[in-house]
Amino acid sequence: MSSPTSSSYHPLDLAGAIVYARQRPELREIFRAGEELEASEVGDGNLNLVFKVWAKADPRRTVVLKQALPYLRLVGEGWPLPTDRARIEAEALKIQFRLVPAHTPRLFFYDPEMFLTVMQNLDRHLIMRKGLIQGIRYPRFAEHIGVFLARTLGATSDLVLDYKTKKELVVQFTNPELCKITEDLVFTEPYRPTARNNFPPEIEIQVLALQSDESLRVEVAKMKEKFMTHAQALVHGDLHTGSIMVNNEETFAIDPEFAFYGPMGFDIGAVIGNLFLNYAAHEVRTPDPTARAAFRRYLIEMVTELWETFVREFQRTVWDQVDPVNFPLDYQEYYLLNILQDAAGMGACKMMRRVIGLAGVADLRGIENRADQALASSLALNMGQALLKKREQMHGIHDLIAVATACQPSYPWKH
Amino acid sequence: MSSPTSSSYHPLDLAGAIVYARQRPELREIFRAGEELEASEVGDGNLNLVFKVWAKADPRRTVVLKQALPYLRLVGEGWPLPTDRARIEAEALKIQFRLVPAHTPRLFFYDPEMFLTVMQNLDRHLIMRKGLIQGIRYPRFAEHIGVFLARTLGATSDLVLDYKTKKELVVQFTNPELCKITEDLVFTEPYRPTARNNFPPEIEIQVLALQSDESLRVEVAKMKEKFMTHAQALVHGDLHTGSIMVNNEETFAIDPEFAFYGPMGFDIGAVIGNLFLNYAAHEVRTPDPTARAAFRRYLIEMVTELWETFVREFQRTVWDQVDPVNFPLDYQEYYLLNILQDAAGMGACKMMRRVIGLAGVADLRGIENRADQALASSLALNMGQALLKKREQMHGIHDLIAVATACQPSYPWKH
């Protein structure tokens, strides 16, 4: 599972990326022999080098090179990370492309010596999170991502795969180091005082109250156990709005390096939780009440449409295919309700960790006024708490939305 | 995961077993160079050849040779089975011996070329099922098996292991072919009319009623999903009373070739379910009401003691070691209650399959009078149904016992 860097591995620089792209036979359909190429480095992540390479004569002929670094870039060489995640990402992309080519970037090839993936350059698309922060609406996003979730999760589960293929995929996508990051940062550290936590000091009282709420920690522990043991489907594993590229017509899920066999609700909760984080941020980002209400209505409609598309597509591609004697209708309903409740609980943990934990999101941490940031963060925290604690009373997506939208910020303190 | 037979593989016969035992350097501590050995074949299973080999001069110096056949013996070469299960069994024995040497046969070595395991000969012990059928009492059994369950399940779970070791063990114990047998025979075929089912014709009406009960099939589907996706601990995977060797002083769990990462409740349910099958059988096996009540009291006391020992040992070896901030007391209680309810539901499926499905148990199918066999089978079926359907109302082992012991046979029909 872990793979030490190979002897021919070396991190690329800009010039190296051009040389590399020019010499690979797999790219002959994109770049003509000997023609001049240009490149830029665009990596904003911590784990990888990312280059765009294009033909100078025709910038529409372009690819992205993504190379795994053997350490966490932000921290430096002190936090080594297995380059095996590059293999995981390439293999997950391959499966996702087969299942949902419309919403998965095309993989040209994976170079196991260089831990390097060459894929479609999504240069006419924006990171969804950036669009949401700017208040841009994407009319097809919810439907597209609902389809992506239903097809990638349904078709990789025991409901569709034969007993052997599923178990071989579990082995293939064993991803301990990247799962460990989630186990620590999403399900452990935010709920206790730890050195790496990083939240607005103004809401310290609220954070301490949350951390001392034992009934909340019980529910977090249940979610963590599900994450660690419920090998239900090949999940993307990091499907926040920063891992989705959009424009008016198209939607792509990128960066599945955290992929592993886990609970379906983890992916669905990631999308919903991040839409709710944006919902909380607009508490201060959109001061005009009418404009704020309108954008939030749009966010809520996306949550509804995403879930309803997921259910419809799951019905068509999974339930319509199974034997109803061994999978009766009531079981199918129970199964979907469990996914919904898992999505609420796991999305909730992802919301809380973005407020309290090491890694934040631009929606909240990009708010410059400190009191404003504290207020929006306080609201996000209350939404997360409520979604986690009330998930078992939810019987449909409207219950989930009602729980989230009923929340208020605790900061500034009323007393 | 699957391993075709190697080129040097050949099934042993009696003479071959003696030659093999004599030449292996790993057995020099048992057998002296050149001394005369004797052997007998004792395999009563379908999957393997089993030989006892001993020194003619001192039969106490003895070992067991267990060799995997590449096909199901009962059916012949038409049902191939991967010999990789021999590796699984040997590696599971090694881990179980490290965790509970008192209740695991000692493994001398595993020969990967011959798919052959050499282990301790438990020649002063009886198969638990045979003892129970004869009405023999084993005063230490419940305590021993409770300890075995707590230590093997607790110490291989995420509660004790680090993130990486656990996931490596999941890979190591990926066991698709043998899991498939359980998926089909325990969780699928008994609940629909299928060619392989095999039950007393007298209770056909009861079986058909059960198979047409959709609410029961919903609960079976939940149990099957848990079996297939809940990678909670390294389970034995086939811990019925035929896989346990006992005498007055000692208890050993043998034959872990079905081992894989699954729900803890599956192992616990296997033991409890098989004790209840015996309970049902004594409805006709022990006609005297006083004697029957006394033996059943003993069976019930074993169920109670097994569970209470499990909880006590799990407390000592697991909960006392974890951080109560991230694993609060209420979570620990929830976790154990889930194991109990899983044990009820999975044990129930194992009971029903032993009545309806392909492979029965001697407790019931060994009853010669047909009406008697039908009556005891009818009771076992009702116990299984009740345990499965009422498991979520159980809050302790006494609830589980109350549900099982309240059942009556439906056959002979009252109307």
Side-chain angles (χ1 to χ4, degrees), chain A residues 162-165 167-168, chain B residues 1-2 82 84 87-88 173-183 259-260:
Chain A
D162 73 276
Y163 73 101
K164 197 166 178 172
T165 306
K167 290 171 182 89
E168 285 167 352
Chain B
M1 284 169 295
S2 73
D84 188 48
R87 175 191 66 79
I88 296 262
F173 289 97
T174 297
N175 198 356
E177 302 300 337
L178 272 69
C179 283
K180 173 70 170 158
I181 295 175
T182 306
E183 290 157 21
F260 76 109

Short mmCIF file of all heavy atoms in Angstrom, two decimals, chain A residues 162-165 167-168, chain B residues 1-2 82 84 87-88 173-183 259-260:
data_model
loop_
_atom_site.label_atom_id
_atom_site.label_comp_id
_atom_site.label_asym_id
_atom_site.label_seq_id
_atom_site.Cartn_x
_atom_site.Cartn_y
_atom_site.Cartn_z
N ASP A 162 -20.31 -7.81 -8.16
CA ASP A 162 -20.28 -9.16 -7.63
C ASP A 162 -19.35 -9.20 -6.42
O ASP A 162 -18.52 -8.31 -6.22
CB ASP A 162 -19.82 -10.15 -8.71
CG ASP A 162 -18.35 -10.01 -9.00
OD1 ASP A 162 -17.99 -9.13 -9.80
OD2 ASP A 162 -17.54 -10.76 -8.41
N TYR A 163 -19.51 -10.25 -5.61
CA TYR A 163 -18.82 -10.37 -4.32
C TYR A 163 -17.31 -10.21 -4.46
O TYR A 163 -16.65 -9.71 -3.56
CB TYR A 163 -19.14 -11.73 -3.70
CG TYR A 163 -18.45 -12.88 -4.39
CD1 TYR A 163 -17.30 -13.45 -3.84
CD2 TYR A 163 -18.90 -13.38 -5.61
CE1 TYR A 163 -16.64 -14.48 -4.49
CE2 TYR A 163 -18.25 -14.40 -6.26
CZ TYR A 163 -17.13 -14.94 -5.71
OH TYR A 163 -16.46 -15.95 -6.36
N LYS A 164 -16.73 -10.65 -5.57
CA LYS A 164 -15.28 -10.72 -5.67
C LYS A 164 -14.69 -9.38 -6.12
O LYS A 164 -13.71 -8.90 -5.54
CB LYS A 164 -14.92 -11.82 -6.68
CG LYS A 164 -13.50 -12.25 -6.55
CD LYS A 164 -13.25 -13.54 -7.29
CE LYS A 164 -11.80 -13.93 -7.17
NZ LYS A 164 -11.57 -15.26 -7.71
N THR A 165 -15.30 -8.81 -7.14
CA THR A 165 -14.82 -7.52 -7.65
C THR A 165 -14.84 -6.48 -6.54
O THR A 165 -13.89 -5.70 -6.38
CB THR A 165 -15.71 -7.07 -8.82
OG1 THR A 165 -15.74 -8.11 -9.80
CG2 THR A 165 -15.17 -5.80 -9.45
N LYS A 167 -14.59 -6.86 -3.33
CA LYS A 167 -13.55 -7.07 -2.32
C LYS A 167 -12.16 -6.77 -2.89
O LYS A 167 -11.27 -6.30 -2.18
CB LYS A 167 -13.66 -8.48 -1.75
CG LYS A 167 -14.91 -8.62 -0.88
CD LYS A 167 -15.20 -10.04 -0.44
CE LYS A 167 -16.48 -10.14 0.37
NZ LYS A 167 -17.70 -10.37 -0.43
N GLU A 168 -11.97 -7.02 -4.18
CA GLU A 168 -10.69 -6.66 -4.80
C GLU A 168 -10.52 -5.14 -4.86
O GLU A 168 -9.41 -4.62 -4.68
CB GLU A 168 -10.61 -7.26 -6.21
CG GLU A 168 -10.35 -8.77 -6.20
CD GLU A 168 -10.57 -9.47 -7.53
OE1 GLU A 168 -11.08 -8.82 -8.48
OE2 GLU A 168 -10.24 -10.67 -7.62
N MET B 1 -5.45 -12.73 -4.14
CA MET B 1 -6.26 -13.32 -3.10
C MET B 1 -6.53 -14.78 -3.40
O MET B 1 -6.41 -15.63 -2.55
CB MET B 1 -7.57 -12.57 -2.96
CG MET B 1 -7.42 -11.26 -2.25
SD MET B 1 -8.93 -10.30 -2.41
CE MET B 1 -8.95 -10.03 -4.18
N SER B 2 -6.90 -15.07 -4.64
CA SER B 2 -7.08 -16.46 -4.98
C SER B 2 -5.72 -17.01 -5.38
O SER B 2 -4.88 -16.31 -5.89
CB SER B 2 -8.06 -16.61 -6.14
OG SER B 2 -7.46 -16.19 -7.34
N PRO B 82 -10.87 -21.94 -3.38
CA PRO B 82 -9.47 -21.53 -3.41
C PRO B 82 -8.71 -22.07 -2.20
O PRO B 82 -9.18 -22.02 -1.07
CB PRO B 82 -9.55 -20.02 -3.37
CG PRO B 82 -10.82 -19.74 -2.67
CD PRO B 82 -11.76 -20.86 -3.04
N ASP B 84 -6.34 -20.70 -1.02
CA ASP B 84 -5.89 -19.55 -0.23
C ASP B 84 -6.50 -19.57 1.17
O ASP B 84 -5.96 -18.98 2.10
CB ASP B 84 -6.27 -18.26 -0.95
CG ASP B 84 -5.67 -17.03 -0.30
OD1 ASP B 84 -4.45 -17.05 -0.01
OD2 ASP B 84 -6.40 -16.05 -0.06
N ARG B 87 -4.04 -20.49 3.84
CA ARG B 87 -3.21 -19.38 4.31
C ARG B 87 -3.99 -18.54 5.33
O ARG B 87 -3.48 -18.22 6.41
CB ARG B 87 -2.80 -18.49 3.13
CG ARG B 87 -2.05 -17.24 3.54
CD ARG B 87 -1.88 -16.23 2.40
NE ARG B 87 -3.12 -15.64 1.93
CZ ARG B 87 -3.78 -14.64 2.54
NH1 ARG B 87 -3.32 -14.13 3.67
NH2 ARG B 87 -4.90 -14.18 2.05
N ILE B 88 -5.24 -18.21 4.97
CA ILE B 88 -6.09 -17.43 5.88
C ILE B 88 -6.17 -18.12 7.24
O ILE B 88 -5.97 -17.51 8.29
CB ILE B 88 -7.51 -17.27 5.29
CG1 ILE B 88 -7.47 -16.46 3.98
CG2 ILE B 88 -8.47 -16.70 6.33
CD1 ILE B 88 -7.80 -15.01 4.08
N PHE B 173 -6.67 -10.40 5.23
CA PHE B 173 -7.77 -11.35 5.45
C PHE B 173 -8.94 -11.13 4.50
O PHE B 173 -10.09 -11.37 4.86
CB PHE B 173 -8.20 -11.31 6.92
CG PHE B 173 -7.17 -11.93 7.83
CD1 PHE B 173 -6.24 -11.16 8.49
CD2 PHE B 173 -7.10 -13.31 7.94
CE1 PHE B 173 -5.26 -11.74 9.29
CE2 PHE B 173 -6.13 -13.90 8.75
CZ PHE B 173 -5.20 -13.11 9.42
N THR B 174 -8.65 -10.66 3.31
CA THR B 174 -9.67 -10.59 2.27
C THR B 174 -9.93 -12.01 1.78
O THR B 174 -9.02 -12.67 1.32
CB THR B 174 -9.20 -9.67 1.14
OG1 THR B 174 -9.04 -8.36 1.68
CG2 THR B 174 -10.22 -9.63 0.01
N ASN B 175 -11.16 -12.45 1.92
CA ASN B 175 -11.49 -13.88 1.81
C ASN B 175 -12.77 -14.07 1.00
O ASN B 175 -13.76 -14.61 1.49
CB ASN B 175 -11.65 -14.41 3.25
CG ASN B 175 -11.56 -15.92 3.36
OD1 ASN B 175 -11.44 -16.61 2.34
ND2 ASN B 175 -11.62 -16.43 4.57
N PRO B 176 -12.77 -13.60 -0.26
CA PRO B 176 -14.04 -13.50 -1.00
C PRO B 176 -14.79 -14.82 -1.17
O PRO B 176 -16.01 -14.84 -1.00
CB PRO B 176 -13.63 -12.93 -2.37
CG PRO B 176 -12.16 -12.84 -2.39
CD PRO B 176 -11.63 -13.10 -1.03
N GLU B 177 -14.07 -15.89 -1.49
CA GLU B 177 -14.78 -17.13 -1.80
C GLU B 177 -15.50 -17.70 -0.58
O GLU B 177 -16.64 -18.16 -0.68
CB GLU B 177 -13.82 -18.18 -2.37
CG GLU B 177 -13.07 -17.75 -3.61
CD GLU B 177 -13.97 -17.41 -4.80
OE1 GLU B 177 -15.12 -17.90 -4.83
OE2 GLU B 177 -13.53 -16.65 -5.68
N LEU B 178 -14.83 -17.65 0.58
CA LEU B 178 -15.50 -18.22 1.75
C LEU B 178 -16.58 -17.29 2.29
O LEU B 178 -17.62 -17.75 2.78
CB LEU B 178 -14.48 -18.66 2.82
CG LEU B 178 -14.03 -20.12 2.53
CD1 LEU B 178 -13.18 -20.23 1.28
CD2 LEU B 178 -13.37 -20.77 3.69
N CYS B 179 -16.36 -15.98 2.17
CA CYS B 179 -17.44 -15.05 2.52
C CYS B 179 -18.67 -15.29 1.64
O CYS B 179 -19.80 -15.22 2.12
CB CYS B 179 -16.98 -13.61 2.38
SG CYS B 179 -15.93 -13.05 3.74
N LYS B 180 -18.41 -15.56 0.37
CA LYS B 180 -19.52 -15.79 -0.57
C LYS B 180 -20.39 -16.98 -0.12
O LYS B 180 -21.62 -16.95 -0.25
CB LYS B 180 -18.94 -16.03 -1.96
CG LYS B 180 -19.92 -16.45 -3.02
CD LYS B 180 -20.86 -15.34 -3.44
CE LYS B 180 -21.67 -15.71 -4.67
NZ LYS B 180 -22.90 -14.91 -4.77
N ILE B 181 -19.74 -18.01 0.42
CA ILE B 181 -20.51 -19.15 0.93
C ILE B 181 -21.49 -18.69 2.01
O ILE B 181 -22.67 -19.04 2.00
CB ILE B 181 -19.56 -20.24 1.48
CG1 ILE B 181 -18.72 -20.82 0.33
CG2 ILE B 181 -20.33 -21.32 2.20
CD1 ILE B 181 -17.66 -21.83 0.79
N THR B 182 -20.99 -17.87 2.94
CA THR B 182 -21.86 -17.36 4.00
C THR B 182 -22.93 -16.43 3.44
O THR B 182 -24.10 -16.51 3.83
CB THR B 182 -21.01 -16.62 5.06
OG1 THR B 182 -19.98 -17.49 5.51
CG2 THR B 182 -21.87 -16.18 6.23
N GLU B 183 -22.52 -15.53 2.53
CA GLU B 183 -23.49 -14.61 1.94
C GLU B 183 -24.66 -15.38 1.32
O GLU B 183 -25.82 -15.00 1.48
CB GLU B 183 -22.80 -13.73 0.89
CG GLU B 183 -21.83 -12.72 1.50
CD GLU B 183 -20.75 -12.23 0.52
OE1 GLU B 183 -20.95 -12.34 -0.69
OE2 GLU B 183 -19.70 -11.75 1.00
N ALA B 259 -12.14 -16.77 8.29
CA ALA B 259 -11.79 -15.50 8.94
C ALA B 259 -11.75 -14.35 7.93
O ALA B 259 -11.28 -14.50 6.81
CB ALA B 259 -10.44 -15.63 9.64
N PHE B 260 -12.25 -13.19 8.35
CA PHE B 260 -12.19 -11.97 7.54
C PHE B 260 -12.55 -10.81 8.45
O PHE B 260 -12.90 -11.01 9.62
CB PHE B 260 -13.17 -12.05 6.35
CG PHE B 260 -14.62 -11.84 6.73
CD1 PHE B 260 -15.30 -10.69 6.36
CD2 PHE B 260 -15.30 -12.79 7.48
CE1 PHE B 260 -16.63 -10.48 6.73
CE2 PHE B 260 -16.64 -12.59 7.84
CZ PHE B 260 -17.28 -11.44 7.46
#
